Amino acid sequence: MSGTREYSPSNPSPLLPPLVSAISAQRLETSRSNRIHGGKWRRKWFGEDYGDEGKWSNSSSKSLPPCCIKARASVPESEAKCHDTVVSGWFTESQSITDKTGKAHSLKVEKILYRGKSKYQEILVFESSTYGKVLVLDGIVQLTDKDECAYQEMIAHLPLCSIPSPKTVLVIGGGDGGVLREISRHRSVETIHICEIDKLVIDVCEEYFPELYVGFGDPRVQLHVGDAVEFLRNAAEGTYDAIIVDSSDPIGPAQELVEKPFFEMITRALRPGGVLCNQAESLWLHTHLIQDMLAICRETFKGSVHYAWTSVPTYPSGVIGFLLCSKDGEPVNFMDPINPIEQQEGADNAGREIKFYNSEIHKAAFALPSFAKRELSTVYASSRLSQSEQGEDTLKMNLVAKNELVTAS
Amino acid sequence: MSGTREYSPSNPSPLLPPLVSAISAQRLETSRSNRIHGGKWRRKWFGEDYGDEGKWSNSSSKSLPPCCIKARASVPESEAKCHDTVVSGWFTESQSITDKTGKAHSLKVEKILYRGKSKYQEILVFESSTYGKVLVLDGIVQLTDKDECAYQEMIAHLPLCSIPSPKTVLVIGGGDGGVLREISRHRSVETIHICEIDKLVIDVCEEYFPELYVGFGDPRVQLHVGDAVEFLRNAAEGTYDAIIVDSSDPIGPAQELVEKPFFEMITRALRPGGVLCNQAESLWLHTHLIQDMLAICRETFKGSVHYAWTSVPTYPSGVIGFLLCSKDGEPVNFMDPINPIEQQEGADNAGREIKFYNSEIHKAAFALPSFAKRELSTVYASSRLSQSEQGEDTLKMNLVAKNELVTAS
């Protein structure tokens, strides 16, 4: 694969600034001309506009909330400088140093395995001393061998175990293959579409992350390398039983303009009663963003809308959230899986065994801390009006959901 | 309070080494003559011996498991050098840099509020930019304003909500007052004993952590400053309904020798059917230690023994575990609280509102990832023999527990 080089952190470049913080501060000033547009940009802000078409553009200059300043630091640089995040043998997420989250995570580097840059982002792969191999995009840890199981298994099985017999599934992003690997455990699934914008991510994972890339080996998988918005625009209405968005991060001033049309396109592509699972940040860091996402999705999907979370040590604050939404239609009770993984023949033997997910972990993921229940309950309260406009079954489901969310808070 | 000084990280001492790693490496070589013995030493290794009495000493030189090497780095230095953990305005846990966990956490420092040293440990308090005030003992983060709620509420309410009407409670360690604050919500409680070895921790928290120290203001609290082992030795048999150990960390080669006698003393001090909640590490990092603790406790307590966990962003791997044990007697089902906090009059209004804990979070804490269920199930399987020696009710409870632990794994 082109761009593959080995680099020893014990002999860092003499060009390295003495402190990562200096580099990261410099990054804040770099050009934001490179926009990420669909595909593998998990936990990244994708800028004020949304696509080459220039649609849904937002020239507003309103400032980011303090907790989201990190996003600015993750904007791609004009030159690949992945090694700048490695100082004295330790990798530190670039945005963590400079942003106002005020917390940094560092991983000890044994060996840098790959550095390269695609049209969309910088890609870094290194062997860490205790978390195995690590994939970094634009200075942000995407996955590690040690804890990728939690993220990949949860984002796949939370939606697929919540509906009976899913057949047609779309993955947006997910170019590492891990989500595909998990979907493959479901024998009912007949077709798996994946839309990943960055072919280089797929190629890098083929070489360095065979335990994830294996997901592409399933004959049910159809890969589309391209823009997710374009893909969704061309998808026939009501195509998918489930859509898994392993990519975008609704952080930034363009949130309302960007997200509502995006979620509307997702809704359109789902069959009635179909489900979305979308990566949804940390409730320790971003409850206001989660509130916004919940509010938008309740307006858009008109079925059940819930927030779940789980532990992923190498993500900020050690957790990651998932937004689970069902389109108006057959009611979906996400909190009690109707299609439990333990009852699916061969699911645990499809490739490697399941490391993290099980039905107890599924149910537990919806138990929220009291502070989050209080903050998110305002979204549920404000959605009473829209509930009254819905069908009887869906209304009942939403009221159950609301009660479960506010009980005991 | 003596020792109180203000220090600006923007003007670090010229004596600071350029890198924290250099300091931490140096720490590995420092004297281990200062032993911690009871009290506020959460997440610390307490050395090969156990107390001035020299009892349960262990001269074995067998090496620590790789994941526990961090412990060596947290041994107190002969001189207070708390500020050495702050470089360029960022605090980094000293052991995280040098140990083989290969992961470091850093918090941005706004202002150092206190540095001092007691007979037992170095104490550092600083204002962080986003986690509020931070208490650090011997270079290890003990609590932050932002996420202390998760730890304090869980370690207190997991045991107290699992038994009907607790009346007499003992806290070992917990000198910050946070666990006392949470116990105070339980109106059934008549007496709260706390045994904390380090008076300076209490004094520092009185000045800098009023939201935790408030726990000492409850008239039911009786403070004993001294050695926990000595305190337990003198306690009348069967005194306590619940004991909460907010301190020791069973890491190190002396584990078996140290822990079994300690847990036996705990068991002796509990009434039949009384419960222990003990801080119990991260299942992402230390499953072998958790296995050992579970095995020892199943031998010792002869009631229910379970592992629970929750999210605490500033602890290693972002989670912390709790070992919950009941003494032979009235069966205790930890996983379904018999004494739910929501049904206790005034519990949420005792001082500040409850931020994290609720009955759903309680139940969810016992849902373990599949990898942990598999690894810990070996402990449960090996305890079949001891189960057969127990009474019928307890046996039934243990079998239920075992089934719940291995189902779906």
Side-chain angles (χ1 to χ4, degrees):
Chain A
M1 184 169 52
S2 66
T4 305
R5 289 173 52 190
E6 289 197 350
Y7 166 85
S8 167
S10 60
N11 295 306
S13 161
L15 298 174
L16 282 184
L19 290 169
V20 176
S21 54
I23 306 153
S24 304
Q26 177 192 342
R27 288 190 171 209
L28 289 172
E29 305 305 319
T30 60
S31 161
R32 273 179 279 135
S33 61
N34 278 317
R35 297 295 179 208
I36 307 300
H37 188 217
K40 190 73 193 179
W41 17 268
R42 187 187 312 158
R43 295 197 290 129
K44 280 195 80 294
W45 170 61
F46 41 71
E48 289 87 356
D49 60 6
Y50 195 68
D52 301 327
E53 302 82 351
K55 291 180 181 173
W56 309 332
S57 67
N58 173 22
S59 59
S60 162
S61 61
K62 66 181 177 179
S63 61
L64 289 167
C67 66
C68 305
I69 302 292
K70 70 165 186 175
R72 290 208 184 278
S74 66
V75 171
E77 294 179 306
S78 54
E79 295 296 319
K81 291 182 180 173
C82 283
H83 61 282
D84 288 352
T85 55
V86 179
V87 175
S88 299
W90 285 77
F91 163 85
T92 300
E93 284 194 324
S94 53
Q95 93 288 357
S96 302
I97 292 286
T98 54
D99 70 15
K100 291 189 178 174
T101 64
K103 190 167 190 295
H105 302 81
S106 306
L107 289 168
K108 194 167 195 315
V109 177
E110 291 296 317
K111 191 176 195 175
I112 290 186
L113 301 173
Y114 175 82
R115 283 181 296 157
K117 189 175 182 185
S118 71
K119 182 179 167 189
Y120 306 100
Q121 55 206 337
E122 299 169 40
I123 303 174
L124 170 69
V125 179
F126 66 87
E127 181 74 40
S128 66
S129 63
T130 53
Y131 279 75
K133 289 190 291 297
V134 181
L135 174 66
V136 180
L137 299 182
D138 284 336
I140 302 175
V141 170
Q142 301 296 308
L143 60 88
T144 78
D145 281 339
K146 186 180 176 82
D147 63 7
E148 57 90 7
C149 58
Y151 178 82
Q152 315 279 3
E153 293 177 15
M154 293 296 275
I155 202 170
H157 302 308
L158 283 174
L160 296 184
C161 293
S162 295
I163 53 175
S165 196
K167 289 188 174 52
T168 308
V169 182
L170 169 63
V171 180
I172 294 176
D176 52 60
V179 175
L180 299 177
R181 177 192 69 204
E182 295 307 315
I183 296 170
S184 294
R185 298 185 191 276
H186 294 260
R187 291 195 181 176
S188 68
V189 172
E190 296 166 358
T191 307
I192 310 171
H193 290 159
I194 174 167
C195 179
E196 162 64 56
I197 200 168
D198 197 342
K199 181 65 161 56
L200 187 57
V201 168
I202 300 172
D203 293 341
V204 167
C205 291
E206 179 177 10
E207 183 154 345
Y208 295 103
F209 295 94
E211 286 214 1
L212 290 106
Y213 181 80
V214 67
F216 283 100
D218 189 305
R220 295 169 290 180
V221 170
Q222 297 175 29
L223 168 64
H224 175 87
V225 175
D227 181 289
V229 172
E230 194 62 31
F231 185 89
L232 283 169
R233 192 175 286 134
N234 295 329
E237 188 172 342
T239 302
Y240 297 104
D241 297 305
I243 298 179
I244 296 168
V245 182
D246 177 21
S247 56
S248 78
D249 195 23
I251 292 178
Q255 181 184 348
E256 191 180 356
L257 286 170
V258 172
E259 294 310 315
K260 192 148 192 232
F262 183 71
F263 285 126
E264 283 170 350
M265 295 182 81
I266 295 275
T267 309
R268 187 185 146 279
L270 285 172
R271 66 154 168 85
V275 293
L276 163 71
C277 184
N278 199 118
Q279 183 270 108
E281 286 295 330
S282 159
L283 48 67
W284 283 107
L285 303 175
H286 297 289
T287 45
H288 65 288
L289 292 172
I290 297 164
Q291 281 176 325
D292 292 348
M293 291 173 74
L294 283 169
I296 291 170
C297 287
R298 288 194 67 79
E299 279 180 30
T300 311
F301 285 88
K302 298 188 168 61
S304 303
V305 174
H306 283 281
Y307 188 80
W309 64 314
T310 201
S311 157
V312 183
T314 55
Y315 283 177
S317 80
V319 301
I320 194 76
F322 305 99
L323 186 64
L324 287 144
C325 310
S326 69
K327 182 173 172 176
D328 199 9
E330 188 72 22
V332 175
N333 184 358
F334 286 111
M335 291 177 286
D336 191 10
I338 195 172
N339 183 25
I341 198 84
E342 295 84 4
Q343 292 175 22
Q344 294 185 46
E345 196 186 346
D348 200 32
N349 303 323
R352 73 178 194 188
E353 64 189 352
I354 297 175
K355 289 189 178 179
F356 190 89
Y357 178 88
N358 55 59
S359 288
E360 292 157 33
I361 283 281
H362 180 123
K363 294 174 192 170
F366 293 90
L368 302 184
S370 297
F371 74 84
K373 290 175 73 167
R374 278 192 288 267
E375 291 175 34
L376 301 186
S377 66
T378 60
V379 176
Y380 283 76
S382 68
S383 65
R384 279 169 188 268
L385 186 63
S386 64
Q387 282 171 356
S388 68
E389 295 161 359
Q390 295 171 27
E392 196 173 342
D393 278 349
T394 312
L395 173 61
K396 187 178 170 190
M397 183 64 66
N398 288 337
L399 289 174
V400 168
K402 178 181 178 298
N403 286 338
E404 282 175 329
L405 203 80
V406 297
T407 299
S409 67
Chain B
M1 184 169 52
S2 66
T4 306
R5 290 173 53 190
E6 290 196 349
Y7 167 85
S8 167
S10 60
N11 295 306
S13 161
L15 298 174
L16 282 183
L19 291 169
V20 176
S21 55
I23 306 153
S24 303
Q26 177 192 341
R27 288 190 171 210
L28 290 172
E29 305 304 320
T30 60
S31 161
R32 273 180 277 136
S33 61
N34 278 317
R35 296 295 179 208
I36 307 300
H37 188 218
K40 190 72 192 180
W41 17 270
R42 187 187 312 157
R43 294 196 292 130
K44 281 194 80 296
W45 171 61
F46 41 70
E48 289 88 356
D49 59 6
Y50 195 67
D52 301 326
E53 301 84 349
K55 291 179 181 173
W56 308 332
S57 67
N58 173 21
S59 59
S60 162
S61 61
K62 65 181 177 180
S63 61
L64 289 167
C67 67
C68 305
I69 301 292
K70 70 166 187 174
R72 290 208 184 277
S74 66
V75 171
E77 293 179 308
S78 54
E79 295 296 319
K81 290 182 181 173
C82 284
H83 62 281
D84 287 353
T85 56
V86 179
V87 175
S88 299
W90 285 77
F91 164 84
T92 301
E93 284 194 325
S94 53
Q95 93 288 356
S96 302
I97 293 286
T98 53
D99 70 15
K100 290 189 177 171
T101 65
K103 190 166 191 294
H105 302 81
S106 306
L107 289 168
K108 194 166 194 316
V109 177
E110 291 296 316
K111 191 175 195 176
I112 290 187
L113 301 173
Y114 174 82
R115 283 180 296 156
K117 189 176 182 186
S118 71
K119 182 179 167 189
Y120 306 100
Q121 54 206 338
E122 299 170 40
I123 303 174
L124 170 69
V125 179
F126 66 87
E127 182 75 40
S128 66
S129 64
T130 52
Y131 279 75
K133 289 191 290 298
V134 181
L135 175 66
V136 180
L137 299 182
D138 285 335
I140 301 174
V141 170
Q142 301 296 308
L143 60 88
T144 79
D145 281 339
K146 186 180 175 82
D147 63 6
E148 58 89 6
C149 58
Y151 178 81
Q152 315 279 3
E153 293 177 15
M154 292 295 275
I155 202 170
H157 302 308
L158 283 174
L160 296 184
C161 293
S162 295
I163 54 174
S165 196
K167 289 188 173 53
T168 308
V169 182
L170 168 63
V171 179
I172 294 175
D176 53 59
V179 175
L180 299 177
R181 178 192 69 204
E182 296 307 316
I183 296 170
S184 294
R185 298 185 192 275
H186 294 261
R187 291 195 181 176
S188 68
V189 171
E190 296 166 357
T191 306
I192 310 171
H193 290 158
I194 175 167
C195 179
E196 162 64 56
I197 200 168
D198 196 342
K199 181 67 161 55
L200 187 57
V201 168
I202 300 172
D203 293 341
V204 167
C205 291
E206 179 177 9
E207 183 154 345
Y208 295 103
F209 295 93
E211 286 213 2
L212 290 106
Y213 181 80
V214 67
F216 283 100
D218 189 305
R220 295 170 291 181
V221 170
Q222 296 175 30
L223 168 64
H224 175 87
V225 175
D227 182 288
V229 172
E230 194 62 30
F231 185 89
L232 283 168
R233 193 175 286 135
N234 295 328
E237 188 172 341
T239 301
Y240 297 104
D241 296 304
I243 298 178
I244 296 168
V245 182
D246 176 21
S247 56
S248 77
D249 195 24
I251 292 177
Q255 181 184 349
E256 192 180 355
L257 287 170
V258 173
E259 294 310 315
K260 192 149 191 231
F262 183 71
F263 285 127
E264 283 171 350
M265 295 181 81
I266 295 274
T267 310
R268 187 185 146 277
L270 286 172
R271 66 154 169 85
V275 293
L276 163 71
C277 185
N278 199 119
Q279 183 271 109
E281 285 295 330
S282 160
L283 48 67
W284 283 107
L285 303 175
H286 297 289
T287 45
H288 64 288
L289 292 172
I290 297 165
Q291 281 176 325
D292 291 349
M293 291 173 73
L294 284 169
I296 291 170
C297 287
R298 287 194 66 79
E299 279 180 29
T300 311
F301 285 88
K302 299 187 168 62
S304 303
V305 174
H306 284 281
Y307 187 80
W309 64 315
T310 201
S311 157
V312 183
T314 55
Y315 283 177
S317 80
V319 301
I320 194 77
F322 306 98
L323 186 64
L324 287 143
C325 310
S326 70
K327 183 173 172 176
D328 199 9
E330 188 72 22
V332 175
N333 183 357
F334 286 111
M335 290 177 288
D336 191 11
I338 195 173
N339 183 26
I341 199 84
E342 295 84 4
Q343 292 175 21
Q344 294 185 46
E345 196 186 346
D348 200 31
N349 304 322
R352 73 178 194 188
E353 64 189 353
I354 297 175
K355 289 189 178 179
F356 190 89
Y357 178 88
N358 55 59
S359 288
E360 292 157 33
I361 283 280
H362 179 123
K363 294 173 192 170
F366 294 91
L368 302 184
S370 297
F371 74 84
K373 290 174 72 167
R374 278 192 288 268
E375 291 175 34
L376 301 185
S377 67
T378 59
V379 176
Y380 284 76
S382 68
S383 65
R384 278 170 188 267
L385 186 63
S386 64
Q387 282 171 354
S388 68
E389 295 161 359
Q390 296 172 27
E392 196 173 341
D393 279 350
T394 313
L395 174 60
K396 187 178 169 189
M397 182 66 66
N398 288 337
L399 289 174
V400 168
K402 178 181 177 299
N403 286 338
E404 283 176 330
L405 203 81
V406 298
T407 299
S409 67

